[in-house]
Amino acid sequence: MSKHARSRGLPIDGVEQPTAEGWTYAARNPATAEVLWDVPDAGVTEAHAAAAAARRAFDATQWSTDVGLRADAIRRLQAALAERSDDLAALMAAETGVPVSLRAAHLDAPIALMRGEQPGEAGVTAVVTPATSPLAVAIEEVGRVLSAGGTVVLKPAPEAASAAIELGRIALDVLPRGVLNVLATRDVDVAITLTLDDRVDEVSFTGSAVTAERVQVAAERAGKRVRLDVGGPLTIEAADDADLAAVVSAAAVTVAANAGQACRLPASVVVPPHRYAEALRSAVEAMAEVVPGDPSKPDTMCGPLRSGVARDRVRRYVDLARTEGGHIALGGSVLDRDGWWFAPTVIGGLSRQSRLVREEVLGPVLMVVAGARNS
């Protein structure tokens, strides 16, 4: 961790600031449900302070105009993140259950892709990131905004706040005051306040389509630029002459990684009707080899769900599958252990119109669907 890791403040305006109300909430280990530590829980006061700091850094310093200053600072931030990447990977595993074996995609690649100068419209950007990606989206978006000469208020999902706060703490040693500020909160009013603040020029949101629509309406009414990434599920179409075992196995491995908590996963495989039984059997065989385990272990691919809410969401989708005519070929239940675990699951018998096929389940669940006979 950084030298600032013991503080309970939020990285705002170049220092770690305690919240005005002294509010906190508990971060829990999703693998055990045990309390890890307290996270600062920001209020409207901190939202105003963060927006003011980012605005001041953009308007009243050389950050937005000095290309050399920015390039040097971003290089040093990149180096500092790389140096502390082992700690960050361990923090993600502890806080959100992202297995350390998946650090390449969730941490190392985003750090490596940071660039000192990229084109883009500069200003103050509120970056809102999801719990399914504790640091990757944050690092990518922070890098994008900073390289264009902008400044950032980073608002992570509550379940993934500690990783974002640590990113902000590392930046305290590298970036000029107010360039990167981090706002952790459970209060939706705080997020709305940030979105509507006149000092914010742009809102970058990554998350669910439902929330994205609300953010877009609010931000556009306030005259902000808006960037949205709502993800969505993928459907794999297997040809009649495809190697079904290979296609289905690859989908199973991808969906099982990080317990299916990512966007654009190939969660459904549509196969020719006469090969449906073969595909379902291959899916069961592939998913049966997935062993959910401790995300801090280097051989674990599938860890816990990030929260009890996330686990129960997956359970509701599986229950919905049964009402839609699906049948559970493997798994389909909560694992009997401490923490928030769901068994790797294969579901057959659903149609393309099923909500599980059209929506993101965000769990270790693979659907095998028989396509139309004339497809």
Side-chain angles (χ1 to χ4, degrees):
M1 304 297 176
S2 79
K3 69 183 182 182
H4 304 277
R6 293 183 182 275
S7 171
R8 295 186 178 181
L10 291 171
I12 296 175
D13 201 16
V15 297
E16 288 188 86
Q17 297 190 16
T19 61
E21 302 293 339
W23 293 332
T24 63
Y25 64 93
R28 293 182 178 272
N29 185 332
T32 65
E34 295 176 329
V35 173
L36 293 168
W37 46 70
D38 289 333
V39 178
D41 196 1
V44 172
T45 299
E46 286 72 47
H48 286 309
R55 185 80 257 168
R56 186 166 51 250
F58 182 78
D59 289 341
T61 76
Q62 294 178 296
W63 178 259
S64 63
T65 58
D66 192 329
V67 175
L69 169 70
R70 288 201 306 275
D72 179 65
I74 292 170
R75 281 194 298 268
R76 289 189 289 119
L77 177 60
Q78 183 183 43
L81 292 174
E83 180 182 352
R84 302 173 194 181
S85 59
D86 288 346
D87 288 334
L88 290 170
L91 177 56
M92 288 194 298
E95 182 185 40
T96 56
V98 175
V100 295
S101 65
L102 303 179
R103 59 174 290 171
H106 283 268
L107 185 62
D108 298 334
I111 292 174
L113 290 173
M114 293 186 79
R115 294 290 183 269
E117 187 64 24
Q118 294 183 23
E121 193 168 0
V124 176
T125 298
V127 175
V128 183
T129 58
T132 52
S133 180
L135 277 178
V137 172
I139 291 172
E140 290 168 3
E141 280 297 281
V142 167
R144 176 188 69 83
V145 175
L146 299 190
S147 65
T151 58
V152 174
V153 179
L154 174 61
K155 209 295 288 182
E159 306 98 312
S162 300
I165 291 171
E166 187 65 12
L167 168 62
R169 288 170 177 161
I170 291 170
L172 292 178
D173 297 328
V174 177
L175 299 179
R177 175 180 175 181
V179 168
L180 175 59
N181 311 272
V182 182
L183 197 66
T185 182
R186 293 176 298 174
D187 190 345
V188 66
D189 288 338
V190 175
I192 292 171
T193 296
L194 180 63
T195 299
L196 299 180
D197 196 297
D198 290 340
R199 292 163 292 197
V200 173
D201 302 304
E202 178 184 60
V203 178
S204 169
F205 175 88
T206 303
S208 73
V210 173
T211 305
E213 183 177 1
R214 295 171 59 190
V215 169
Q216 183 170 22
V217 170
E220 288 182 346
R221 283 179 178 173
K224 317 293 187 186
R225 302 190 303 271
V226 181
R227 293 171 61 95
L228 301 177
D229 186 350
V230 299
L234 294 179
T235 297
I236 301 297
E237 302 275 352
D240 187 65
D241 59 350
D243 181 346
L244 277 189
V247 171
V248 173
S249 295
V253 168
T254 303
V255 170
N258 193 30
Q261 299 174 105
C263 63
R264 302 183 184 90
L265 293 181
S268 301
V269 181
V270 178
V271 302
H274 66 281
R275 301 192 68 185
Y276 169 75
E278 173 192 354
L280 188 64
R281 184 168 56 250
S282 295
V284 170
E285 291 173 355
M287 199 65 94
E289 294 182 0
V290 175
V291 179
D294 184 346
S296 68
K297 302 298 184 184
D299 58 347
T300 295
M301 179 183 68
C302 180
L305 277 299
R306 63 190 180 278
S307 67
V309 172
R311 179 203 58 196
D312 292 344
R313 181 180 187 274
V314 175
R315 178 164 50 188
R316 287 193 297 272
Y317 267 112
V318 172
D319 290 342
L320 175 64
R322 295 185 175 98
T323 70
E324 291 187 335
H327 66 273
I328 312 304
L330 179 74
S333 62
V334 171
L335 294 179
D336 185 16
R337 61 176 75 170
D338 292 336
W340 302 303
W341 301 84
F342 202 88
T345 297
V346 176
I347 300 176
L350 296 173
S351 72
R352 286 178 178 267
Q353 286 68 47
S354 166
R355 284 183 55 192
L356 280 81
V357 175
R358 293 183 291 109
E359 300 176 9
E360 284 186 316
V361 177
L362 296 178
V365 181
L366 179 67
M367 279 73 69
V368 179
V369 180
R373 292 188 181 280
N374 60 355
S375 62

